[in-house]
């Protein structure tokens, strides 16, 4: 029996939709490409999907959202949904990138560097 033309075309689209639980957007809006995520050590394990478990394994050390996407081979939006799930369950913590008002001025950085050089 032959398959209908284009039957395999839907495969790659259905899997990410399934992995994200049918969601197209994460519950958290603060996950950017450079947001750092890291697993909380000693968290009791619970039954979770293989993708969630793989992300936790990768996040044993601090990783950016972009790194997690690249290392898992999953689309960025799917990774954001899965990361959001793990953050909400308390398995991951995250640190958003600093805002422009939090970044020290070049003058302050130069003064610190000069002080270090004098040591």
């Amino acid at each position: 029996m032959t398959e209908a033309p284009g039957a395999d075309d839907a495969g790659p689209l259905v899997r990410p939709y399934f992995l994200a639980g049918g969601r197209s957007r994460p519950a958290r809006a603060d996950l950017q490409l450079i947001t750092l995520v890291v697993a909380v050590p000693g968290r009791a394990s619970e039954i979770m999907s293989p993708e969630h478990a793989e992300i936790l394994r990768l996040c044993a050390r601090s990783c950016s959202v972009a790194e997690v996407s690249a290392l898992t081979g999953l689309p960025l939006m799917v990774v954001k949904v899965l990361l959001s799930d793990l953050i909400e369950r308390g398995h991951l913590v995250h640190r958003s990138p600093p805002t422009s008002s939090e970044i020290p001025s070049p003058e302050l950085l130069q003064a610190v560097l000069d002080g270090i050089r004098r040591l």
Side-chain angles (χ1 to χ4, degrees):
M1 184 188 269
T2 61
E3 291 185 30
D8 289 336
D9 294 343
L13 297 176
V14 173
R15 185 169 184 265
Y17 180 81
F18 175 75
L19 291 176
R23 296 167 289 168
S24 61
R25 296 197 175 162
R28 307 188 64 87
D30 57 348
L31 294 176
Q32 300 173 17
L33 287 174
I34 59 174
T35 299
L36 297 177
V37 291
V38 65
V40 175
R43 273 290 285 164
S45 62
E46 62 184 50
I47 298 173
M48 60 181 66
S49 73
E51 291 77 20
H52 283 108
E54 175 68 8
I55 289 172
L56 279 178
R57 186 188 67 75
L58 290 172
C59 293
R61 65 168 185 82
S62 183
C63 290
S64 70
V65 171
E67 286 177 297
V68 174
S69 179
L71 292 170
T72 59
L74 295 172
L76 182 62
M77 199 53 64
V78 171
V79 167
K80 285 183 173 185
V81 169
L82 297 176
L83 288 172
S84 182
D85 292 346
L86 291 168
I87 291 168
E88 294 299 319
R89 293 180 196 160
H91 292 286
L92 291 177
V93 293
H94 72 293
R95 181 161 198 279
S96 297
T99 63
S100 59
S101 64
E102 295 173 340
I103 298 173
S105 70
E107 294 81 18
L108 176 61
L109 292 174
Q110 187 62 50
V112 170
L113 181 60
D114 292 342
I116 291 171
R117 286 183 178 152
R118 283 192 296 262
L119 294 176

